[in-house]
C-alpha cells in the first residue's frame, strides 16, 4: 500500500488502518480510548491478546487460541466481544 501516509493522488491517508494501527501514537490513543470505555474495553483487551498471540511459538498457538475463544467469544462472559461475526470467531477447520 501507499507509504508515508499519503495516497497515490497525494491526499492524506485517513484510513482506520493508517491512523489507528500503523501510527504508534494513533494506535496508543485508540487503545486507551477502547480500554477507557466499559463498552469497548473487551475489544481493547482482545486486540492486546491477539498481538500477543501473533508472537506465540507455533507449539503454543492451539492452547492460546482456545483461551482467546473462551475469554472473548463465549456469550455471557464478561469480556464477550459480541460484535464479532460467527465467521470471525469460528475455530479454524482442517
Amino acid at each position: 500500500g501507499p507509504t508515508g501516509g499519503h495516497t497515490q493522488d497525494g491526499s492524506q491517508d485517513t484510513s482506520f488502518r493508517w491512523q489507528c494501527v500503523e501510527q504508534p501514537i494513533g494506535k496508543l490513543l485508540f487503545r486507551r480510548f477502547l480500554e477507557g470505555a466499559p463498552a469497548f474495553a473487551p475489544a481493547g483487551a482482545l486486540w492486546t491478546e491477539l498481538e500477543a498471540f501473533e508472537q506465540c511459538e507455533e507449539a503454543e498457538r492451539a492452547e492460546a487460541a482456545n483461551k482467546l475463544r473462551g475469554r472473548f467469544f463465549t456469550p455471557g462472559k464478561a469480556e464477550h466481544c459480541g460484535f464479532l461475526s460467527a465467521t470471525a470467531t469460528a475455530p479454524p477447520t482442517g
Side-chain angles (χ1 to χ4, degrees):
T3 57
H6 291 84
T7 56
Q8 286 178 333
D9 65 4
S11 61
Q12 188 69 28
D13 184 353
T14 57
S15 70
F16 170 82
R17 171 166 280 285
W18 170 251
Q19 292 184 331
C20 298
V21 178
E22 294 172 4
Q23 293 302 302
I25 189 68
K27 181 176 178 177
L28 177 68
L29 292 172
F30 185 65
R31 293 269 285 269
R32 288 215 175 131
F33 163 74
L34 290 176
E35 291 160 5
F40 302 138
L46 176 60
W47 189 347
T48 300
E49 293 299 324
L50 286 174
E51 288 196 331
F53 176 79
E54 288 177 5
Q55 306 302 318
C56 276
E57 296 294 329
E58 198 64 41
E60 301 168 351
R61 287 194 166 213
E63 184 183 350
N66 284 334
K67 285 183 181 171
L68 280 170
R69 274 195 286 277
R71 182 173 169 190
F72 297 106
F73 305 162
T74 305
K77 289 281 182 92
E79 293 181 292
H80 178 232
C81 290
F83 55 86
L84 296 170
S85 69
T87 306
T89 60
T93 55

